[in-house]
Amino acid sequence: MIQWFPGHMAKAIRQFEENIHLVDIVFELVDARCPFSSINPEVARISQGKPRLMILTKADLANPNITNQWLSYFKNQGYAAIAIDSKKNTTGKYITKVVKDLLADKIDDAKEKGFDKKVIRAICVGVPNVGKSTLLNQIVKRRAAQVGNRAGVTKGQQWLKSSDELELLDTPGILWPKFQNDDIANKLAMTGAIKDSIYHSDDVGLFALHFFRTTNPKELIDRYHLSEDDMELSDVDLLLKITKKVGMQDDYERASMRIILDSRKGKIGRFTLDDVNDLSEEEEE
């Protein structure tokens, strides 16, 4: 099983615990391609009753129908939840409006006490590479946070001022000490939450291949110039076939990483790894 919990993540959790009392709301970012698997159980523990806004990032890469199902699920569970494309210029205004609506009572209370311009303070938390920095830069309308399509770009916490109405505390991506099962680990690796250097690319590549041949067969065929007959091969034999198709001879590990990177870029179609209907009663609890 893939495990990754280095010292800087333990430090980030401690910083989150130390700063939670400073904020009015928690922005809990999860990847729309695996919205359940990217929920960090540490966030609920540390938030201690603070209002939380569940933000499904990278919705432009996820299956839109399944994203809507997840939004309904989260709202039925009592969460405030939205899905966003962090690269859209309107995202910042949209989130500011949602937050003001969520905290309307608190804002009104501040006004009654003579504070006409109550500044809302939010902390942004989520797994690595979930799109926090891209979102923050949209909200503050400048390149204030480092952005990178890999895990671990944000190294420390920083306050960012969006306007007279909203201040944001950025945090490094946080994973938790132990994943519940291999599927969650593979989903987080496939979407980039785990550093590529610490897992076996062929394991995650085979996981991705098995998923896409079931959900996006046409896109898989088109991307790697496969035939319908190729889709009858086993996962391993199909990986070997793709390895040769992309000119990598017998380097199936390199071909596995090609599949993983192609999936992250949306080159095998939009997809969502988590299915609401697969949730067991135990997981929901």
Side-chain angles (χ1 to χ4, degrees):
M1 181 182 288
I2 302 168
Q3 294 296 347
W4 184 41
F5 195 68
H8 74 269
M9 289 210 175
K11 179 181 178 182
I13 289 176
R14 287 197 303 272
Q15 289 176 330
F16 182 25
E17 290 174 322
E18 291 167 359
N19 290 314
I20 189 67
H21 71 283
L22 298 174
V23 304
D24 303 299
I25 189 169
V26 175
F27 288 178
E28 184 173 1
L29 276 62
V30 296
D31 194 315
R33 297 167 297 177
C34 55
F36 191 79
S37 296
S38 55
I39 293 175
N40 190 332
E42 294 290 296
V43 174
R45 178 184 67 81
I46 296 171
S47 295
Q48 300 173 349
K50 290 278 185 181
R52 285 154 63 196
L53 174 61
M54 184 79 75
I55 302 176
L56 279 66
T57 61
K58 306 188 180 184
D60 53 309
L61 297 173
N63 181 309
N65 294 326
I66 301 179
T67 295
N68 287 332
Q69 292 173 16
W70 277 110
L71 288 173
S72 296
Y73 167 81
F74 287 131
K75 289 172 183 176
N76 288 336
Q77 295 293 312
Y79 290 92
I82 60 173
I84 61 164
D85 173 357
S86 302
K87 296 176 183 177
K88 280 190 174 179
N89 292 331
T90 55
T91 297
K93 288 184 179 179
Y94 173 51
I95 288 182
T96 301
K97 180 182 182 304
V98 170
V99 173
K100 288 173 69 176
D101 289 344
L102 282 174
L103 300 179
D105 290 343
K106 189 166 188 174
I107 295 170
D108 290 342
D109 184 58
K111 287 181 179 179
E112 289 180 6
K113 294 178 180 177
F115 301 100
D116 291 335
K117 290 187 176 181
K118 161 67 179 172
V119 176
I120 299 170
R121 305 189 95 187
I123 189 168
C124 294
V125 294
V127 298
N129 197 35
V130 76
K132 285 189 288 82
S133 296
T134 300
L135 172 62
L136 287 165
N137 288 335
Q138 277 294 343
I139 294 175
V140 302
K141 295 300 181 187
R142 59 190 173 87
R143 193 177 177 84
Q146 285 183 296
V147 177
N149 188 24
R150 64 188 188 281
V153 172
T154 304
K155 297 301 183 183
Q157 297 189 326
Q158 55 178 327
W159 280 102
L160 304 172
K161 188 169 184 178
S162 167
S163 63
D164 291 335
E165 299 177 300
L166 184 63
E167 290 182 359
L168 303 152
L169 181 59
D170 188 15
T171 65
I174 304 172
L175 290 176
W176 48 106
K178 186 177 181 181
F179 303 131
Q180 293 91 320
N181 55 56
D182 286 336
D183 274 356
I184 288 177
N186 283 325
K187 291 172 184 177
L188 291 174
M190 183 175 159
T191 52
I194 300 173
K195 282 187 175 179
D196 295 331
S197 59
I198 71 157
Y199 61 81
H200 297 293
S201 61
D202 55 324
D203 288 340
V204 178
L206 284 169
F207 176 86
L209 198 56
H210 182 78
F211 173 81
F212 283 122
R213 70 187 301 170
T214 304
T215 62
N216 297 34
K218 184 181 183 301
E219 290 87 346
L220 191 65
I221 289 171
D222 291 346
R223 178 62 186 165
Y224 301 113
H225 310 291
L226 302 169
S227 68
E228 294 287 348
D229 289 340
D230 290 333
M231 302 302 283
E232 301 299 321
L233 297 171
S234 68
D235 291 339
V236 172
D237 287 338
L238 185 57
L239 174 58
L240 295 176
K241 183 86 173 185
I242 291 173
T243 301
K244 288 182 168 53
K245 285 279 188 181
V246 297
M248 295 181 179
Q249 302 305 318
D250 297 319
D251 192 351
Y252 59 88
E253 290 189 358
R254 188 172 159 219
S256 295
M257 186 52 66
R258 167 75 69 84
I259 294 169
I260 294 166
L261 295 176
D262 281 351
S263 70
R264 291 178 190 168
K265 296 173 183 176
K267 293 183 177 180
I268 316 177
R270 297 174 69 169
F271 67 93
T272 304
L273 297 164
D274 289 338
D275 187 339
V276 177
N277 299 315
D278 288 341
L279 287 185
S280 66
E281 292 182 3
E282 180 180 350
E283 285 174 317
E284 289 189 27
E285 290 172 0

